[in-house]
Amino acid sequence: MSINIWHPFTQHGLGEPIPEIARAEGAALYKADGTRIIDAISSWWVQTHGHCHPKIVSAIQEQSAKLDQMIFAGWTHEPARELAAGLSDFLPESLDHIFFSDSGSTAVEVALKMALGYWHNRGDARQKILVMEHSYHGDTIGAMSVGARGVFNQAYAPLLFDVGTIAFPDAGSEQKMLDQLEAYCRNKDHPPAALIVEPLILGAGGMKVYSPEILKQMAAICRAYDVLFIADEVMTGWGRTGTVFACEQAGIEPDILCMAKGLTGGVIPLAVTAATDALYQAHFSKDRAQMFFHSSSFTANPIACAAANANLQIWRDEPVQGRIDDIIASHQNFTQRLMHKENVSGLRQCGTILAFEIDDNAGDYMSELGPQLLGFFRDYNILLRPLGNTVYIMPPYCIGREDMESIYTVVEEAIDHFHSN
Ligand code: PLP
């Protein structure tokens, strides 16, 4: 019997090639024959400092020889304690409790359960979760429920719970969205439990950008009506939008903040859901029935925590912010080059993320242009994975000027190629 691998978000029926990678270093992946591929999307937005950063690699090596894995219910270990202490340099002061899990989706599940547990334990029947149109929060059932509905999840619709959806604040319709949010929050018969948002930029929903000012106003409305504000910083966290966390740019402190991907520099899975003392106190009791009922076998895996501690050390020791600023400036220059392309629209930048649409007729995720672009970039040894006709560039921060220029050149070639074809 031969067992075949079933890849994520892959339609095997199309017979697309699935290249094999043998090793990685910095901003590049290498095939066994030595072919070098520039990782222009940080391997699905996880890599921040680059592949196989020596400090993270050696932290993993050392920790795995010392304490590999242990139960975290009722027990603890040094790498987890060190990480909690270290995160206090990066998180707002009000987020003084952290709960570990393994992925962005589970960080979101934990956030939703914390929010509902908070209201339940306080004897308030608030259950409704508010979400933003076009959001993506992961592929587990709860995370899918608070994400956009569509072709991705229509088969699983019976499993998904109902939410209240506010519009995306497109230019000119910001006030409409804020009014909609306020109307939901003001509803005395069914007051919402929480609002969950991707701050400043909606990732998988099409790299849609909105301003820090709008984010700030959303948080203020939630605060005014006692609705918990959950920031899903799984993609935006760890420098992606130009600051360590996107919420910083709006000057807001959410009640709950989810992080994953870049927490370990993108090397090994680990997630954290950070919460305020109020969330923690709502579960703190002599009554065991009020505890936070959530765990997974690998909660706070010591090796993953050691990798995260190495990530924090890199942020302290290396010029990470300078590298981020270089990418931001480089994207700004490239934007000037793209402005004159006839078939390019929606040019936008949020920190290290640059995105735009290549005009076609379908104009959504199922656009045929998506797989065609993917193939085009693959032929040029650039790892870019457009969302339909939306092309975005999100490189690891260690990327050099030459690699950036190679990405830009191939992107320009793709734009011209698909204009004439
Ligand atoms: N939340 C956001 C904003 C994301 O972008 C993602 C993944 O891309 C997730 C949650 C889910 O993270 P994971 O794929 O680690 O489960």
Side-chain angles (χ1 to χ4, degrees):
M1 180 185 74
S2 79
I3 294 182
N4 300 309
I5 298 174
W6 197 344
H7 287 261
F9 270 77
T10 301
Q11 178 46 275
H12 287 275
L14 294 175
E16 302 258 322
I18 301 194
E20 183 164 316
I21 297 302
R23 68 180 192 89
E25 191 184 335
L29 304 166
Y30 294 86
K31 291 186 187 167
D33 66 5
T35 306
R36 184 174 187 273
I37 296 148
I38 303 172
D39 188 351
I41 56 161
S42 303
S43 280
W44 248 350
W45 325 341
V46 302
Q47 281 284 327
T48 47
H49 312 300
H51 292 273
C52 297
H53 191 294
K55 288 181 191 150
I56 298 178
V57 170
S58 67
I60 289 172
Q61 284 169 338
E62 273 171 39
Q63 186 57 45
S64 56
K66 201 155 64 181
L67 172 65
D68 51 354
Q69 158 66 13
M70 60 169 270
I71 185 168
F72 205 64
W75 296 76
T76 193
H77 52 73
E78 203 209 331
R81 282 193 300 100
E82 187 186 328
L83 183 52
L87 281 174
S88 67
D89 296 339
F90 295 87
L91 281 170
E93 230 168 77
S94 56
L95 293 173
D96 54 359
H97 294 274
I98 59 166
F99 192 94
F100 290 102
S101 64
D102 323 300
S103 69
S105 303
T106 55
V108 167
E109 299 282 348
V110 165
L112 299 174
K113 285 174 71 173
M114 270 181 185
L116 261 65
Y118 169 86
W119 292 113
H120 177 268
N121 289 354
R122 287 164 51 115
D124 195 326
R126 294 189 182 212
Q127 288 171 351
K128 197 178 210 54
I129 305 287
L130 302 181
V131 307
M132 186 181 273
E133 184 192 15
H134 304 304
S135 297
Y136 176 80
H137 297 287
D139 277 341
T140 52
I141 302 297
M144 262 195 297
S145 297
V146 293
R149 307 291 160 100
V151 65
F152 318 97
N153 46 38
Q154 68 193 22
Y156 328 119
L159 301 176
L160 308 183
F161 56 77
D162 280 340
V163 293
T165 305
I166 55 168
F168 178 80
D170 280 312
S173 67
E174 294 93 342
Q175 193 54 49
K176 207 169 127 211
M177 179 279 279
L178 293 170
D179 292 345
Q180 210 179 8
L181 173 60
E182 187 154 13
Y184 269 121
C185 292
R186 214 188 298 120
N187 186 333
K188 286 206 177 70
D189 296 331
H190 300 285
L195 166 72
I196 181 165
V197 286
E198 297 166 78
L200 300 188
I201 176 164
L202 274 53
M207 298 296 159
K208 292 179 181 298
V209 175
Y210 63 98
S211 74
E213 181 51 35
I214 295 298
L215 180 61
K216 190 177 179 164
Q217 291 187 43
M218 286 163 66
I221 292 172
C222 288
R223 186 73 70 226
Y225 292 93
D226 218 7
V227 172
L228 296 171
F229 189 84
I230 306 173
D232 177 354
E233 296 245 20
V234 169
M235 180 187 79
T236 52
W238 298 107
R240 213 53 94 172
T241 68
T243 45
V244 178
F245 293 107
C247 284
E248 288 168 39
Q249 293 179 45
I252 56 163
E253 301 193 2
D255 298 291
I256 305 179
L257 184 148
C258 307
M259 66 176 96
K261 297 182 187 277
L263 173 59
T264 61
V267 177
I268 191 168
L270 183 71
V272 154
T273 306
T276 60
D277 191 48
L279 267 295
Y280 180 76
Q281 292 303 334
H283 294 85
F284 185 88
S285 160
K286 295 272 182 236
D287 180 0
R288 292 177 64 231
Q290 298 222 334
M291 77 170 93
F292 184 47
F293 289 104
H294 191 91
S295 80
S296 68
S297 317
F298 287 99
T299 301
N301 171 262
I303 303 170
C305 288
N309 286 324
N311 167 47
L312 265 51
Q313 204 53 45
I314 292 167
W315 273 88
R316 292 185 195 104
D317 294 347
E318 296 188 17
V320 180
Q321 189 62 50
R323 292 172 190 151
I324 288 171
D325 293 343
D326 282 350
I327 294 174
I328 292 174
S330 170
H331 280 343
Q332 281 163 350
N333 290 335
F334 184 50
T335 300
Q336 301 302 317
R337 276 157 60 180
L338 290 191
M339 285 211 311
H340 312 289
K341 299 276 184 195
E342 270 176 23
N343 56 335
V344 165
S345 58
L347 259 173
R348 57 205 176 269
Q349 184 178 353
C350 182
T352 67
I353 307 167
L354 180 77
F356 60 89
E357 274 73 43
I358 295 187
D359 298 337
D360 76 338
N361 294 329
D364 65 8
Y365 184 84
M366 298 311 278
S367 152
E368 284 303 320
L369 197 53
Q372 289 171 21
L373 282 163
L374 184 74
F376 185 92
F377 294 131
R378 193 175 47 224
D379 290 346
Y380 280 89
N381 293 320
I382 306 281
L383 171 52
L384 277 171
R385 198 184 149 88
L387 297 156
N389 66 328
T390 302
V391 178
Y392 66 91
I393 307 172
M394 194 190 307
Y397 312 148
C398 67
I399 195 161
R401 295 229 163 108
E402 219 175 289
D403 281 345
M404 285 297 276
E405 190 46 44
S406 302
I407 298 169
Y408 293 152
T409 306
V410 172
V411 165
E412 278 178 322
E413 276 175 34
I415 292 166
D416 294 342
H417 176 86
F418 288 99
H419 192 33
S420 48
N421 284 274

